Amino acid sequence: MEQQTWFAAWVERIEYIWPEFWTATVETVYMVAMSTVLSLALGFILAVYMILTHPQGIRPRPRVYHVLDVAVNLIRSFPFLILLIALLPFTRLVLGTTIGSSAAVIPLTIAAAPFAGRIIEGCFLEVDKGVVEAARSFGASDMQIIWRVLVPEALPAIVLNIAVLAITLLGYSAMAGTVGGGGLGDLAVKYGYYRFQGDVMFYSVVVLLVMVQAMQSLSSFVYKRLR
């Protein structure tokens, strides 16, 4: 009888928190997905410029590369929470608000874009230089070398590293929740920390762990298919 009472209470508790829990999960997925796509796009552009100007790159320009390298390192060195707060005026200027999951996408993207650029640049640098030289000997242009040589050769490694980027953004999204970004981080703080409801904190952590495992498994599966 005691077990039935405990189980009924647990079911009732789940039904009570489920609407907010579901909303928070959707917000987290939205923030991570949008910021991953946008940061990959910006990071790819940055990586192309970096591989072009790299001292051992396609069109070496050490001074230009040094400027880009320093800029990337500076942005990456910012703690995300400080960067998030520093970007509040810019976020308000762009969207008119600093509250909500859409507002959190902007600082998430800006924080992750240099990281994505560095990852993609590293994947490009791992491509056999002999393949690049062979393409150049056939008269391929810089853009043809990038799109027809570097991208296809580096794609499996890039896909594998997308999981690293997405998992990093998942952690950032939890921090964004502490300043009104929504998502599971906001739910965990609001209920688990301020209201001492440990079960909500526990469920939030479990869902985040499941998301991490799902992203890593999907990335590994695609990587194997591409290889």
Side-chain angles (χ1 to χ4, degrees), residues 30-112:
Y30 167 75
M31 285 190 289
V32 173
M34 285 295 295
S35 55
T36 298
V37 171
L38 293 174
S39 62
L40 277 174
L42 294 175
F44 180 81
I45 295 171
L46 180 61
V48 167
Y49 278 104
M50 293 180 76
I51 202 64
L52 283 171
T53 58
H54 193 278
Q56 284 81 45
I58 299 172
R59 297 291 178 191
R61 293 183 181 178
R63 291 183 180 179
V64 176
Y65 178 82
H66 180 69
V67 172
L68 292 173
D69 186 58
V70 170
V72 167
N73 290 336
L74 282 175
I75 297 176
R76 286 183 62 195
S77 66
F78 264 84
F80 176 69
L81 197 56
I82 295 175
L83 183 64
L84 176 64
I85 295 171
L87 288 173
L88 287 177
F90 177 71
T91 304
R92 185 180 291 109
L93 178 66
V94 174
L95 295 180
T97 181
T98 58
I99 305 298
S101 52
S102 292
V105 169
I106 291 178
L108 285 170
T109 300
I110 293 174

Side-chain angles (χ1 to χ4, degrees), residues 17-30:
I17 66 172
W18 176 252
E20 287 194 61
F21 196 81
W22 173 252
T23 300
T25 303
V26 171
E27 287 174 346
T28 295
V29 172
Y30 167 75

Side-chain angles (χ1 to χ4, degrees), residues 144-162:
Q144 286 175 328
I145 291 174
I146 289 170
W147 286 106
R148 297 186 181 181
V149 178
L150 291 180
V151 171
E153 291 290 327
L155 188 58
I158 292 173
V159 168
L160 195 61
N161 280 290
I162 287 176

